[in-house]
Amino acid sequence: ASKTHWPALTDTDFEKLDSKYFGRAMLIIRNPVHAIPSYFNALFEQRNHLSTHTVRAPTEDWIKYRDEVYDGRLRLYEKMTIYWMEKYPERDSLLLVPYEALTDTTMGPIVAGQIADFLRQGEGVPVIEEESVSCIWETLINSKGNGSQRTGGPSQRPYTQQNLIDAVAMFHRLMGRFHYDDNLVSILQNYINAVSNIVPQSIYVVGNDHWGGEEGTA
């Protein structure tokens, strides 16, 4: 995905991932309409020699980036999901972890426990005691806050209505392809609901770092 670190730059690199190196896998996914701008902020920080997770890029820079890469990022996100779902058809070999649940104050410790249980099933994998899992989650995730620590610029990035329609269409394709996987379908339905609540961009006001919205949902 754009933010959830997949081990290939293009879909042609997937074939290099031999199953002998990955007998089991844990796939952390994030709604791409949030993952793509988050990744863009990271690129902006890197290119401007700024500390990570400190600054949001200007909106006009985001719009230029969005218009250049959004369609391609969605395609790669879809291919990534298909690759891992089909690589491990037996679900005891693949753990799906939604980023949104992992960083949620209520669901986070539960998801962390699921990760620990999954790791315990692997041979030669030392895992902390069950009673310590919530403490580790609190230290690594919750103590840093479950939202972005970046400042400057809007936290919500503008999308066109077509951008949002394309995201929902991609989610529906994945849901149709993997309709038998209740976990993935539930995650994607939550993403559809989130995208449907985004007001699409109509007019961006240069210099004011905000945009005018139009009525309706994607």
Side-chain angles (χ1 to χ4, degrees), residues 2-218:
S2 299
K3 181 67 163 58
T4 48
H5 305 306
W6 55 311
L9 296 177
T10 67
D11 56 297
T12 57
D13 292 335
F14 284 134
E15 61 189 28
K16 300 176 183 178
L17 301 175
D18 193 294
S19 60
K20 69 180 180 180
Y21 299 114
F22 298 96
R24 302 168 74 240
M26 178 173 59
L27 178 62
I28 300 177
I29 60 175
R30 184 181 184 183
N31 192 328
V33 301
H34 299 140
I36 294 173
S38 181
Y39 180 66
F40 170 65
N41 286 330
L43 290 178
F44 178 82
E45 291 166 339
Q46 181 181 26
R47 291 169 180 171
N48 290 277
H49 309 288
L50 301 169
S51 299
T52 58
H53 297 281
T54 58
V55 177
R56 299 187 190 98
T59 300
E60 54 266 33
D61 290 2
W62 155 251
I63 291 176
K64 180 180 178 181
Y65 177 82
R66 178 202 69 193
D67 292 346
E68 290 176 352
V69 310
Y70 180 78
D71 292 343
R73 289 287 179 181
L74 276 189
R75 287 193 295 270
L76 290 177
Y77 185 96
E78 184 173 7
K79 289 179 178 179
M80 176 203 72
T81 305
I82 291 172
Y83 175 84
W84 289 108
M85 291 296 294
E86 293 186 345
K87 187 177 180 67
Y88 298 101
E90 297 181 4
R91 289 312 309 278
D92 59 350
S93 297
L94 176 68
L95 178 65
L96 281 177
V97 179
Y99 169 91
E100 294 80 5
L102 180 60
T103 57
D104 180 77
T105 54
T106 300
M107 289 299 301
I110 298 173
V111 174
Q114 294 171 346
I115 293 173
D117 290 341
F118 182 76
L119 293 175
R120 288 191 188 95
Q121 298 170 21
E123 295 183 6
V125 180
V127 181
I128 61 173
E129 299 83 1
E130 185 174 352
E131 57 270 19
S132 300
V133 170
S134 61
C135 294
I136 296 297
W137 178 87
E138 180 71 28
T139 300
L140 296 178
I141 305 296
N142 199 39
S143 63
K144 299 179 181 179
N146 63 352
S148 173
Q149 303 304 302
R150 293 185 171 105
T151 60
S155 59
Q156 300 298 318
R157 295 300 193 180
Y159 281 103
T160 67
Q161 182 151 13
Q162 190 60 52
N163 291 154
L164 302 176
I165 289 172
D166 290 343
V168 170
M170 184 265 291
F171 295 143
H172 278 298
R173 286 194 299 272
L174 289 173
M175 291 171 69
R177 187 169 187 142
F178 302 106
H179 58 89
Y180 53 84
D181 192 289
D182 293 340
N183 190 15
L184 180 63
V185 168
S186 176
I187 293 170
L188 295 176
Q189 185 59 60
N190 286 337
Y191 290 172
I192 289 173
N193 295 341
V195 171
S196 298
N197 288 326
I198 297 175
V199 177
Q201 169 198 11
S202 58
I203 301 174
Y204 172 66
V205 183
V206 177
N208 290 333
D209 250 349
H210 70 275
W211 59 93
E214 55 191 28
E215 295 298 326
T217 57

